Amino acid sequence: MVIVENKSQLQDFIKSYKTEDSILIPIPCDSNKHSVNTKLSLLYVQLLNGNEFILPFNHSETLNIEFPNLKSNTKKYTYDIKKLNHFFKLSNVIDV
């Protein structure tokens, strides 16, 4: 698992992400609040080839990265498409 904390790691992630289908799990700063009323803390991404990434955005224990462009033609799977859409508007998302 890679915690993406610098530009080099982000570029490696984006390169893999744009060529592989993936599972996306958004993790909000406050899980007790509705997604509209909180920020994204982390985004967990597992590529279907098995590689795992954590993208930190608003987390006190990591170097936070800027939101990358996550648009791609690959399939993305998530457990709650409504929650994901509050943070990212993506195409080819399958709600499992």
Side-chain angles (χ1 to χ4, degrees):
M1 180 180 304
V2 175
I3 299 174
V4 177
E5 294 188 294
N6 60 50
K7 288 184 179 186
S8 175
Q9 290 173 325
L10 182 60
Q11 289 172 347
D12 291 343
F13 161 74
I14 294 291
K15 184 178 176 181
S16 297
Y17 171 80
K18 294 204 179 221
T19 61
E20 293 279 338
D21 292 348
S22 58
I23 298 167
L24 305 176
I25 301 175
I27 301 168
C29 290
D30 188 341
S31 61
N32 294 317
K33 292 182 179 179
H34 190 278
S35 301
V36 172
N37 299 319
T38 189
K39 294 181 179 181
L40 184 64
S41 178
L42 306 168
L43 181 65
Y44 170 81
V45 180
Q46 181 177 7
L47 303 179
L48 293 189
N49 68 9
N51 292 340
E52 298 173 300
F53 298 88
I54 293 180
L55 283 71
F57 297 104
N58 293 291
H59 195 281
S60 62
E61 297 178 7
T62 64
L63 298 173
N64 298 313
I65 61 172
E66 293 183 31
F67 283 105
N69 179 358
L70 294 178
K71 294 181 180 180
S72 72
N73 293 326
T74 60
K75 291 181 184 171
K76 297 151 213 61
Y77 300 91
T78 190
Y79 70 93
D80 188 345
I81 196 167
K82 288 181 187 179
K83 180 184 272 188
L84 183 66
N85 281 337
H86 286 292
F87 302 115
F88 298 101
K89 299 288 186 196
L90 301 172
S91 60
N92 297 333
V93 178
I94 300 165
D95 192 344
V96 296

